[in-house]
Amino acid sequence: QVQLVESGGGLVQAGGSLRLSCAASGRTFSSYARAWFRQTPGKEREFVALIRRNVASTYYADSVKGRFTISRDNAKNTVYLQMNSLKPEDTAVYYCAAGLVATVDISSFGYWGQGTQVTVSS
């Protein structure tokens, strides 16, 4: 059974940091693009960050560029999202995803985690 399991979410004050992890099991995702998306109630899930199987290649939403860093450890089948200088508007459920095509298009990702809540207080 393939699973993506996020961890590391929580409550943090504005300006603080959190590091999310997404551990995969059931198959190897080293040849897959990995990404993070986020969603708030009543809104569509939105793209946050992407890392291609070539770990030197990353892409970010404008809203998080310069504050968030995505990375991956293929040996551990895990992707990370380091979030610094957090803002209240970063509050959301964060989901990790894996897909064969490196794109911000949510429909391209066939594997999803269950999500982890990030809450940033002002």
Side-chain angles (χ1 to χ4, degrees), residues 7-9 17-22 36 69 71-73 76 78-84 86 116 118:
S7 61
S17 298
L18 282 174
R19 188 194 194 206
L20 305 183
S21 300
C22 174
W36 290 93
T69 302
S71 61
R72 66 191 294 167
D73 185 337
K76 295 182 178 179
T78 298
V79 65
Y80 306 95
L81 186 67
Q82 178 67 44
M83 305 186 294
N84 298 328
L86 282 161
T116 185
V118 171

Side-chain angles (χ1 to χ4, degrees), residues 32-87:
Y32 282 66
R34 305 288 296 272
W36 290 93
F37 289 78
R38 65 187 181 187
Q39 189 171 22
T40 54
K43 293 188 177 181
E44 292 187 352
R45 196 169 296 186
E46 66 174 6
F47 168 78
V48 175
L50 169 78
I51 186 165
R52 293 182 170 84
R53 57 183 180 180
N54 169 3
V55 298
S57 183
T58 57
Y59 184 72
Y60 299 92
D62 287 343
S63 59
V64 306
K65 201 173 295 183
R67 299 188 298 121
F68 290 10
T69 302
I70 188 171
S71 61
R72 66 191 294 167
D73 185 337
N74 286 335
K76 295 182 178 179
N77 222 10
T78 298
V79 65
Y80 306 95
L81 186 67
Q82 178 67 44
M83 305 186 294
N84 298 328
S85 302
L86 282 161
K87 304 175 181 180

